[in-house]
Amino acid sequence: MEKLLWVWVFLGLVFGRWVDGFDYANVTEDSYLNSYGLSEFDAAQPLMVGLTLIHGAASKGAVCLDGTLPGYHWHRGFGSGTHSWVIQLEGGGWCNDRRSCVYRKKTRHGSSNYMEKEIPFTGILSNKPEENPDFFNWNRVKVRYCDSASFVGEGQDEASLLYFRGQRIWSAAMEELMANGMRSASQALLSGCSAGGLASILHCDEFRDLFPRSTKVKCLSDAGFFLDAMDVSGGRCLRRFFEGVVSLQGVAKNLPRLCTNHLDPTSCFFPQNIIANVKTPLFLLNAAYDSWQVQASLAPPSVDPHNVWHDCKMNHARCSASQIQFFQGFRNQMLNAVRGFSSSRQNGLFINSCFAHCQSERQDTWFADDSPVLGNKPVAIAVGDWYFDRSGVKLVDCAYPCDNSCHNLVFQ
């Protein structure tokens, strides 16, 4: 029987900015899950890790939206993991106009003044072997997200005192971590969830280039495969939103040239158009019916003025047959978009037919007694098998509703 996670999505978001009928800026992965991957099902007390500000960042112009210092959380590796590193790029949506970005200046996604001083490390960041069998004793780092363009913006808006410095934040964080010992890594994994999952794709080859060829380097994108898909009205509201992000925050100059040489910059912000050119081994972890995309890209209020989709997108069990059929079409688009990518032996894939979002940060979906499985593998084992070359991992679920291991998200 499916575990239903009742989550209060909109609490605390009443002061948010609604863009195109959906609060892209503020309904983020942690809005679904409580904060940082903890859920009501986590029984054990998680490791709490303090915030470190990058004090050398200001001189490089590597600052958050409001000009404050960026930061990260680091728990040192131990034992056999002393020289291994996993970097997780935080997610948290985007802002696409001055108003939404000005709002984010007063949140932890735009200012380190509002970031938690400590956060729990769970899932892929856990320090317990029973919760994180392959990476528990690695150096585990969470890089905070405060630029609002998936760590690739470059510019500023002087009138609004906004700094779009995502690319510089990325560089400053990597420089500091390299100086703190990552330079001597024998193994490294760049990961990220949601907007951070998109960032892990965009920065994957840059991450590889930080290390000598002798270092084993791979990348993991969790819930970062945002599709340029048609919404329920026949339009493309996520594309319109991304156009604003790319234009406002000067993203184009930091997008892959192999893409922008033949496609417009907005198209090159969508992973489906850039994964074929990523040279570094890459693992895509995604729900076929990604909850964030269902709500924000496929059926936001602006394209559903009569709330025909409201009950369905809040709880998949309330969907009509035709609505489920629409979601099956979305799944088919995702599978078509990764077909070429999955043919490469070096890449990995775990696409389960769940209504979920961000499965590597949460303990119950990463590795637990009743975790989601494909081919009898929980997410953590699938990622570990792929990273350590224990086996090839190209796992694609059958269509909904065949998977009874899902931890589907249900909203009130």
Side-chain angles (χ1 to χ4, degrees):
M1 187 173 187
E2 296 172 348
K3 178 185 290 182
L4 302 181
L5 304 183
W6 293 92
V7 185
W8 296 88
V9 181
F10 301 112
L11 289 181
L13 302 180
V14 293
F15 299 107
R17 164 65 173 141
W18 288 80
V19 181
D20 194 24
F22 196 88
D23 192 356
Y24 291 91
N26 304 300
V27 178
T28 63
E29 67 276 3
D30 44 278
S31 301
Y32 291 93
L33 314 173
N34 297 320
S35 189
Y36 296 102
L38 289 176
S39 79
E40 62 185 282
F41 300 100
D42 288 310
Q45 182 67 28
L47 173 72
M48 301 299 293
V49 180
L51 174 67
T52 298
L53 297 179
I54 306 173
H55 290 287
S59 64
K60 304 177 179 70
V63 293
C64 298
L65 282 175
D66 69 338
T68 55
L69 293 174
Y72 60 90
H73 303 256
W74 172 29
H75 188 249
R76 292 178 182 270
F78 54 94
S80 61
T82 301
H83 297 292
S84 299
W85 292 71
V86 57
I87 309 298
Q88 188 181 56
L89 303 177
E90 184 184 23
W94 310 266
C95 58
N96 75 326
D97 58 21
R98 290 179 182 84
R99 185 177 176 186
S100 59
C101 290
V102 166
Y103 166 76
R104 283 172 72 98
K105 286 171 59 174
K106 298 295 185 182
T107 75
R108 60 187 173 81
H109 289 311
S111 171
S112 57
N113 288 338
Y114 299 91
M115 291 178 184
E116 300 87 343
K117 302 308 178 189
E118 288 187 327
I119 63 171
F121 269 25
T122 59
I124 196 173
L125 297 178
S126 172
N127 66 329
K128 302 178 180 68
E130 66 272 19
E131 295 180 349
N132 189 21
D134 284 311
F135 308 106
F136 72 96
N137 64 347
W138 287 29
N139 291 276
R140 284 151 292 108
V141 181
K142 181 123 180 177
V143 180
R144 299 304 295 269
Y145 178 46
C146 63
D147 69 280
S148 295
S150 289
F151 294 91
V152 288
E154 178 56 58
Q156 66 186 72
D157 186 302
E158 294 183 5
S160 301
L161 294 177
L162 289 166
Y163 299 90
F164 307 122
R165 302 291 174 77
Q167 182 70 32
R168 298 194 201 190
I169 291 172
W170 156 264
S171 298
M174 293 304 105
E175 182 177 332
E176 174 145 328
L177 294 172
M178 292 293 277
N180 285 339
M182 193 168 72
R183 183 175 286 110
S184 62
S186 58
Q187 302 178 118
L189 174 64
L190 177 66
S191 69
C193 162
S194 196
L198 171 56
S200 69
I201 296 172
L202 291 167
H203 287 294
C204 185
D205 286 340
E206 289 178 62
F207 188 66
R208 161 73 270 184
D209 290 343
L210 294 173
F211 303 94
R213 301 313 299 177
S214 58
T215 305
K216 185 183 188 71
V217 180
K218 297 188 178 185
C219 305
L220 164 66
S221 172
D222 177 9
F225 200 74
F226 299 97
L227 279 178
D228 186 9
M230 189 174 294
D231 60 49
V232 296
S233 73
R236 294 182 182 272
C237 57
L238 186 57
R239 167 170 275 273
R240 292 197 303 272
F241 180 81
F242 274 0
E243 283 176 349
V245 175
V246 169
S247 174
L248 178 67
Q249 300 200 46
V251 166
K253 59 177 68 72
N254 294 317
L255 294 173
R257 293 290 177 85
L258 286 174
C259 183
T260 56
N261 283 341
H262 68 279
L263 291 177
D264 64 275
T266 300
S267 294
C268 297
F269 201 58
F270 282 98
Q272 66 201 75
N273 297 317
I274 57 179
I275 55 173
N277 296 318
V278 176
K279 299 175 183 177
T280 308
L282 173 63
F283 192 102
L284 297 179
L285 164 62
N286 235 90
Y289 315 98
D290 182 90
S291 295
W292 190 92
Q293 294 189 67
V294 165
Q295 295 199 17
S297 175
L298 299 183
S302 64
V303 301
D304 182 30
H306 301 296
N307 288 325
V308 174
W309 285 81
H310 178 269
D311 289 349
C312 170
K313 70 185 181 184
M314 302 298 271
N315 182 351
H316 62 282
R318 298 176 181 172
C319 295
S320 67
S322 63
Q323 288 172 325
I324 290 295
Q325 192 61 40
F326 182 86
F327 291 148
Q328 304 295 21
F330 177 77
R331 171 182 176 271
N332 290 338
Q333 290 179 65
M334 182 177 293
L335 298 186
N336 288 334
V338 301
R339 182 169 287 115
F341 167 87
S342 65
S343 66
S344 171
R345 292 182 61 187
Q346 72 173 11
N347 295 328
L349 203 63
F350 189 107
I351 298 181
N352 52 351
S353 290
C354 306
F355 289 81
H357 186 69
C358 287
Q359 299 178 86
S360 64
E361 294 184 338
R362 291 175 46 188
Q363 198 56 57
D364 68 317
T365 51
W366 174 248
F367 193 69
D369 290 342
D370 64 344
S371 293
V373 294
L374 278 182
N376 294 319
K377 293 184 181 182
V379 175
I381 300 303
V383 172
D385 283 353
W386 164 79
Y387 182 88
F388 293 104
D389 303 308
R390 295 190 293 246
S391 67
V393 179
K394 305 290 174 60
L395 298 171
V396 177
D397 213 349
C398 49
Y400 174 84
C402 69
D403 190 340
N404 63 6
S405 73
C406 289
H407 289 202
N408 292 309
L409 294 175
V410 177
F411 305 89
Q412 283 188 337

Short mmCIF file of all heavy atoms in Angstrom, two decimals, residues 9 46 51 78 80 90 113 120 129 132 136 160 201 203 226 233 245 285 310 328 333 367 377 379 397:
data_model
loop_
_atom_site.label_atom_id
_atom_site.label_comp_id
_atom_site.label_asym_id
_atom_site.label_seq_id
_atom_site.Cartn_x
_atom_site.Cartn_y
_atom_site.Cartn_z
N VAL A 9 1.83 22.34 1.62
CA VAL A 9 2.70 23.01 0.65
C VAL A 9 2.70 24.52 0.81
O VAL A 9 3.73 25.17 0.71
CB VAL A 9 2.24 22.67 -0.79
CG1 VAL A 9 3.13 23.34 -1.80
CG2 VAL A 9 2.23 21.18 -0.99
N PRO A 46 18.88 13.16 13.02
CA PRO A 46 19.88 13.32 11.97
C PRO A 46 21.08 14.13 12.44
O PRO A 46 21.02 14.87 13.43
CB PRO A 46 19.11 14.08 10.88
CG PRO A 46 18.11 14.90 11.65
CD PRO A 46 17.71 14.04 12.82
N LEU A 51 26.65 26.04 9.15
CA LEU A 51 26.84 26.85 7.95
C LEU A 51 28.22 27.53 7.97
O LEU A 51 28.63 28.09 8.99
CB LEU A 51 25.75 27.92 7.87
CG LEU A 51 25.86 28.96 6.75
CD1 LEU A 51 25.66 28.31 5.38
CD2 LEU A 51 24.83 30.09 6.94
N PHE A 78 35.68 10.49 6.79
CA PHE A 78 36.46 9.77 7.78
C PHE A 78 36.74 8.36 7.28
O PHE A 78 36.07 7.84 6.37
CB PHE A 78 35.74 9.75 9.14
CG PHE A 78 34.34 9.20 9.09
CD1 PHE A 78 34.08 7.87 9.35
CD2 PHE A 78 33.27 10.05 8.79
CE1 PHE A 78 32.78 7.37 9.31
CE2 PHE A 78 31.96 9.56 8.75
CZ PHE A 78 31.72 8.22 9.01
N SER A 80 37.88 5.31 5.34
CA SER A 80 38.16 5.09 3.91
C SER A 80 37.61 6.20 3.02
O SER A 80 37.95 6.28 1.84
CB SER A 80 37.58 3.75 3.47
OG SER A 80 36.17 3.73 3.64
N GLU A 90 22.12 22.78 -3.59
CA GLU A 90 20.76 22.98 -3.10
C GLU A 90 19.85 23.47 -4.22
O GLU A 90 20.27 24.21 -5.11
CB GLU A 90 20.77 24.01 -1.97
CG GLU A 90 19.41 24.23 -1.33
CD GLU A 90 19.41 25.31 -0.27
OE1 GLU A 90 20.29 26.19 -0.29
OE2 GLU A 90 18.51 25.30 0.58
N ASN A 113 21.66 35.90 5.15
CA ASN A 113 21.12 36.39 6.42
C ASN A 113 19.96 35.54 6.92
O ASN A 113 19.66 35.52 8.12
CB ASN A 113 20.65 37.85 6.28
CG ASN A 113 21.80 38.82 6.16
OD1 ASN A 113 22.93 38.52 6.56
ND2 ASN A 113 21.53 39.99 5.60
N PRO A 120 19.96 19.54 8.82
CA PRO A 120 20.15 18.10 8.95
C PRO A 120 20.70 17.49 7.67
O PRO A 120 20.31 17.86 6.57
CB PRO A 120 18.74 17.59 9.24
CG PRO A 120 17.83 18.61 8.64
CD PRO A 120 18.54 19.93 8.74
N PRO A 129 25.99 4.40 7.94
CA PRO A 129 26.05 3.40 6.87
C PRO A 129 24.72 2.71 6.62
O PRO A 129 24.43 2.30 5.49
CB PRO A 129 27.11 2.40 7.38
CG PRO A 129 27.22 2.64 8.85
CD PRO A 129 26.90 4.08 9.06
N ASN A 132 23.00 5.29 4.33
CA ASN A 132 23.72 5.83 3.17
C ASN A 132 24.93 4.93 2.92
O ASN A 132 26.08 5.33 3.17
CB ASN A 132 24.16 7.27 3.47
CG ASN A 132 24.73 7.99 2.27
OD1 ASN A 132 24.48 7.62 1.13
ND2 ASN A 132 25.50 9.04 2.54
N PHE A 136 28.46 7.31 3.16
CA PHE A 136 28.28 7.80 4.52
C PHE A 136 29.53 8.41 5.13
O PHE A 136 29.44 9.32 5.95
CB PHE A 136 27.78 6.66 5.43
CG PHE A 136 28.81 5.61 5.74
CD1 PHE A 136 29.55 5.68 6.91
CD2 PHE A 136 29.05 4.57 4.86
CE1 PHE A 136 30.51 4.72 7.20
CE2 PHE A 136 30.01 3.61 5.14
CZ PHE A 136 30.74 3.68 6.31
N SER A 160 17.34 47.78 -8.57
CA SER A 160 16.71 46.95 -7.54
C SER A 160 17.71 46.36 -6.56
O SER A 160 17.34 45.58 -5.68
CB SER A 160 15.93 45.80 -8.21
OG SER A 160 14.95 46.30 -9.09
N ILE A 201 23.75 19.24 -13.84
CA ILE A 201 23.93 18.94 -15.26
C ILE A 201 24.74 20.06 -15.93
O ILE A 201 25.71 19.80 -16.66
CB ILE A 201 22.57 18.78 -15.96
CG1 ILE A 201 21.81 17.58 -15.39
CG2 ILE A 201 22.75 18.61 -17.47
CD1 ILE A 201 20.37 17.46 -15.88
N HIS A 203 26.83 22.14 -14.70
CA HIS A 203 28.22 22.28 -14.22
C HIS A 203 29.00 20.98 -14.22
O HIS A 203 30.15 20.95 -13.74
CB HIS A 203 28.20 22.85 -12.79
CG HIS A 203 27.84 24.30 -12.72
ND1 HIS A 203 28.64 25.29 -13.24
CD2 HIS A 203 26.77 24.94 -12.19
CE1 HIS A 203 28.09 26.47 -13.03
NE2 HIS A 203 26.94 26.28 -12.40
N PHE A 226 13.84 18.95 -16.13
CA PHE A 226 12.65 19.74 -16.43
C PHE A 226 12.40 19.71 -17.94
O PHE A 226 13.26 20.06 -18.73
CB PHE A 226 12.83 21.18 -15.95
CG PHE A 226 13.03 21.27 -14.46
CD1 PHE A 226 14.31 21.36 -13.92
CD2 PHE A 226 11.95 21.23 -13.59
CE1 PHE A 226 14.50 21.41 -12.55
CE2 PHE A 226 12.13 21.28 -12.22
CZ PHE A 226 13.40 21.38 -11.70
N SER A 233 -3.31 23.55 -21.19
CA SER A 233 -4.02 24.47 -22.07
C SER A 233 -3.47 24.45 -23.49
O SER A 233 -3.99 25.13 -24.38
CB SER A 233 -3.93 25.90 -21.52
OG SER A 233 -2.63 26.43 -21.70
N VAL A 245 13.89 34.00 -16.62
CA VAL A 245 15.08 33.69 -15.81
C VAL A 245 16.34 33.92 -16.63
O VAL A 245 17.29 34.58 -16.18
CB VAL A 245 15.02 32.23 -15.31
CG1 VAL A 245 16.31 31.87 -14.57
CG2 VAL A 245 13.81 32.00 -14.42
N LEU A 285 18.14 10.76 -12.01
CA LEU A 285 17.16 10.21 -11.08
C LEU A 285 15.92 11.09 -11.15
O LEU A 285 15.99 12.28 -10.82
CB LEU A 285 17.74 10.19 -9.66
CG LEU A 285 16.77 10.00 -8.49
CD1 LEU A 285 16.06 8.66 -8.57
CD2 LEU A 285 17.51 10.13 -7.16
N HIS A 310 -7.34 20.80 -10.32
CA HIS A 310 -6.89 21.05 -8.96
C HIS A 310 -6.81 19.77 -8.13
O HIS A 310 -5.77 19.47 -7.53
CB HIS A 310 -7.82 22.05 -8.27
CG HIS A 310 -7.45 22.31 -6.84
ND1 HIS A 310 -7.99 21.57 -5.79
CD2 HIS A 310 -6.58 23.18 -6.29
CE1 HIS A 310 -7.46 22.00 -4.65
NE2 HIS A 310 -6.61 22.98 -4.91
N GLN A 328 0.48 10.25 -18.81
CA GLN A 328 1.21 9.21 -19.54
C GLN A 328 1.92 9.79 -20.76
O GLN A 328 3.04 9.37 -21.10
CB GLN A 328 0.27 8.08 -19.98
CG GLN A 328 -0.53 7.42 -18.88
CD GLN A 328 0.30 6.65 -17.85
OE1 GLN A 328 1.49 6.90 -17.69
NE2 GLN A 328 -0.34 5.74 -17.12
N GLN A 333 7.12 11.60 -23.21
CA GLN A 333 8.05 12.64 -23.65
C GLN A 333 9.38 12.53 -22.91
O GLN A 333 10.45 12.71 -23.49
CB GLN A 333 7.45 14.02 -23.42
CG GLN A 333 6.28 14.38 -24.31
CD GLN A 333 5.76 15.77 -23.98
OE1 GLN A 333 6.45 16.77 -24.14
NE2 GLN A 333 4.53 15.82 -23.49
N PHE A 367 17.11 5.50 1.09
CA PHE A 367 17.45 4.16 1.55
C PHE A 367 16.80 3.91 2.90
O PHE A 367 17.23 4.44 3.92
CB PHE A 367 18.97 4.00 1.66
CG PHE A 367 19.44 2.58 1.82
CD1 PHE A 367 19.31 1.68 0.78
CD2 PHE A 367 20.00 2.14 3.01
CE1 PHE A 367 19.74 0.36 0.92
CE2 PHE A 367 20.43 0.83 3.16
CZ PHE A 367 20.30 -0.07 2.10
N LYS A 377 16.20 -2.71 -6.63
CA LYS A 377 17.22 -1.80 -6.11
C LYS A 377 16.59 -0.52 -5.59
O LYS A 377 15.90 0.18 -6.34
CB LYS A 377 18.23 -1.44 -7.20
CG LYS A 377 19.09 -2.59 -7.68
CD LYS A 377 20.12 -2.11 -8.69
CE LYS A 377 20.98 -3.27 -9.18
NZ LYS A 377 22.02 -2.83 -10.13
N VAL A 379 16.99 3.48 -4.50
CA VAL A 379 17.74 4.53 -5.18
C VAL A 379 19.21 4.52 -4.79
O VAL A 379 20.10 4.58 -5.64
CB VAL A 379 17.12 5.92 -4.88
CG1 VAL A 379 17.96 7.02 -5.50
CG2 VAL A 379 15.68 6.00 -5.40
N ASP A 397 10.79 2.45 -15.06
CA ASP A 397 9.60 1.81 -14.52
C ASP A 397 8.53 1.62 -15.59
O ASP A 397 8.49 2.36 -16.59
CB ASP A 397 9.03 2.70 -13.40
CG ASP A 397 8.37 1.92 -12.29
OD1 ASP A 397 8.14 0.71 -12.47
OD2 ASP A 397 8.08 2.53 -11.24
#
